[in-house]
Amino acid sequence: RQRVLSGMQPSAGSLHLGNYIGALVQWVQLQEAYDAVFFIPDLHAITVPQDPTELAHRTRTTAAQYIAGGVDPDRATLFVQSQVPEHAQLAWVLNCLTGFGEASRMTQFKDKASKQGADSASVGLFTYPVLQAADILLYQPDGVPVGEDQRQHVELSRDLAQRFNSRFGETFVLPRPFIQKESAKIYDLQNPTAKMSKSASSSGGLVNLLDDPAVITKRIKSAVTDTGTEIRFDREGKPGVSNLLTVYSVLSGRSITELEADYAGRMYGHLKVDLAEVVVEALTPVRRRAEELLADPAELDRLLAKGAAKARSMAAPTLAEVYARVGFLPAT
Ligand code: ATP
Ligand code: MG
């Protein structure tokens, strides 16, 4: 079976509807056909300052949401990055193969560093894409399902794999990005030309997986819509309505065309009331299951430790081969 690998940062307490539709729902489908590796990149999270208690809490909450959303820890490999030391170890080797100029060209660093002020951004944030390359290359996956925003990083990991292979001999599989469909991209409810984002959206722009039904309903009902009254999919001219139609279509399994026909002659308010119900119905079982999992953190930690052991059994042989090729003496 081919292997895929993906992860979502524990950068907020809850994942949002974009993470759910754009990532989690697709992961659950992928784990049927692929050998799937899903992890929680907590090493990446500390590239910006984190409160330690919060970070631990968010890591568990993120894991609970992966499972509640349908990731099956028996079928897929589910683990927390910091529990598999090979990630940091391979990242060091790859750091030494990455050009300073090459790393400087990564647009995510430029964006995130400019928000913090370039001088206060950490060196960890600068080498973030190299750690990401290590995350990927350790598991030799065939595909890496990501959003368009991550394409450049997957390409860097290909370049590094190729460079390592040509310098030290064939070691790494060259990973390919599996770019998610544009139809799976969800926009900010208050600002529907920007993507819904854990770190960039205001709370009004988000629907979180762990929000209770009253909050979800309120957020959808106060979503920004467009001038005019017609309920029609038009990403350019009607970004607000189009975003609502996308969410509706994905969660109900009905096509956009079908929805447009159903809502012909009706008002934005009707669409929102119905959509709020569809979203609440889809997310309530996910929230309940996540709450159950979080009620027993010891059991959750045990599951994650098991996942980490499984991940190490895949990652350790890759790292051992890399170390040998680089010329590091074996420890035995
Ligand atoms: P941050 O603001 O911290 O970058 P994020 O909301 O962008 O958080 P990520 O952790 O960067 O979320 O992304 C996790 C996964 O969710 C990725 O596969 C990404 O492509 C997907 N994703 C994130 N936001 C959206 C969105 N608005 N629509 C669809 N998919 C999304
Ligand atoms: Mg992001």
Side-chain angles (χ1 to χ4, degrees):
R1 284 211 295 175
Q2 291 212 322
R3 183 174 287 169
V4 294
L5 168 136
S6 208
M8 288 194 255
Q9 277 209 61
S11 45
S14 177
L15 299 176
H16 54 70
L17 201 52
N19 300 137
Y20 182 68
I21 291 172
L24 202 45
V25 168
Q26 315 207 14
W27 292 4
V28 172
Q29 291 164 1
L30 286 168
Q31 75 184 350
E32 300 298 323
Y34 291 86
D35 172 13
V37 180
F38 300 125
F39 69 107
I40 296 145
D42 57 343
L43 296 178
H44 285 275
I46 65 161
T47 55
V48 297
Q50 298 289 340
D51 173 76
T53 312
E54 260 304 295
L55 177 62
H57 172 70
R58 287 173 175 181
T59 300
R60 276 202 196 95
T61 310
T62 304
Q65 290 171 95
Y66 281 18
I67 300 170
V71 168
D72 177 353
D74 289 325
R75 184 181 278 256
T77 304
L78 167 65
F79 68 97
V80 174
Q81 185 188 29
S82 61
Q83 295 181 2
V84 181
E86 285 80 1
H87 289 251
Q89 292 173 297
L90 180 59
W92 178 254
V93 175
L94 297 178
N95 267 322
C96 298
L97 289 181
T98 308
F100 193 84
E102 189 175 32
S104 309
R105 284 192 292 276
M106 295 294 124
T107 54
Q108 181 181 282
F109 173 73
K110 288 194 248 177
D111 292 349
K112 290 199 175 176
S114 71
K115 270 182 216 150
Q116 287 188 42
D119 279 345
S120 55
S122 70
V123 174
L125 188 63
F126 184 65
T127 66
Y128 179 116
V130 181
L131 176 59
Q132 197 174 342
D135 299 337
I136 295 169
L137 298 179
L138 270 181
Y139 299 91
Q140 312 272 25
D142 301 278
V144 186
V146 288
E148 185 60 49
D149 56 328
Q150 293 297 319
R151 182 194 287 276
Q152 196 187 27
H153 291 174
V154 180
E155 267 151 22
L156 176 69
S157 71
R158 260 182 97 83
D159 290 347
L160 291 174
Q162 212 149 23
R163 193 171 306 160
F164 189 97
N165 288 351
S166 68
R167 198 169 300 178
F168 299 104
E170 280 305 310
T171 307
F172 293 119
V173 170
L174 302 191
R176 283 175 298 139
F178 286 2
I179 301 293
Q180 74 199 16
K181 296 184 273 318
E182 175 61 28
S183 63
K185 184 164 175 187
I186 308 303
Y187 294 83
D188 186 309
L189 295 177
Q190 290 301 316
N191 178 17
T193 52
K195 76 165 204 110
M196 191 178 280
S197 152
K198 292 199 279 306
S199 55
S201 293
S202 68
S203 64
L206 291 168
V207 167
N208 283 322
L209 259 56
L210 301 180
D211 283 342
D212 64 54
V215 173
I216 294 177
T217 304
K218 190 170 130 214
R219 295 281 163 74
I220 300 218
K221 286 190 178 161
S222 40
V224 165
T225 37
D226 314 290
T227 53
T229 54
E230 204 190 345
I231 297 177
R232 176 169 52 82
F233 189 92
D234 173 0
R235 167 71 48 220
E236 298 288 298
K238 290 176 162 274
V241 172
S242 301
N243 190 36
L244 299 180
L245 285 169
T246 301
V247 173
Y248 201 143
S249 168
V250 174
L251 296 183
S252 67
R254 295 165 65 196
S255 72
I256 302 258
T257 322
E258 207 180 309
L259 292 171
E260 284 173 335
D262 263 19
Y263 285 93
R266 298 172 68 195
M267 296 196 293
Y268 290 160
H270 293 129
L271 175 70
K272 288 179 171 179
V273 169
D274 293 349
L275 176 60
E277 252 176 58
V278 166
V279 175
V280 166
E281 201 175 307
L283 296 188
T284 297
V286 179
R287 173 174 54 84
R288 293 225 172 103
R289 180 77 186 110
E291 285 167 356
E292 274 167 30
L293 289 158
L294 288 165
D296 188 354
E299 171 61 16
L300 188 56
D301 289 357
R302 202 189 53 78
L303 257 172
L304 292 170
K306 228 173 95 183
K310 199 161 136 200
R312 285 200 82 176
S313 72
M314 296 185 231
T318 313
L319 186 75
E321 188 181 349
V322 167
Y323 270 26
R325 287 197 183 275
V326 166
F328 293 161
L329 285 183
T332 46

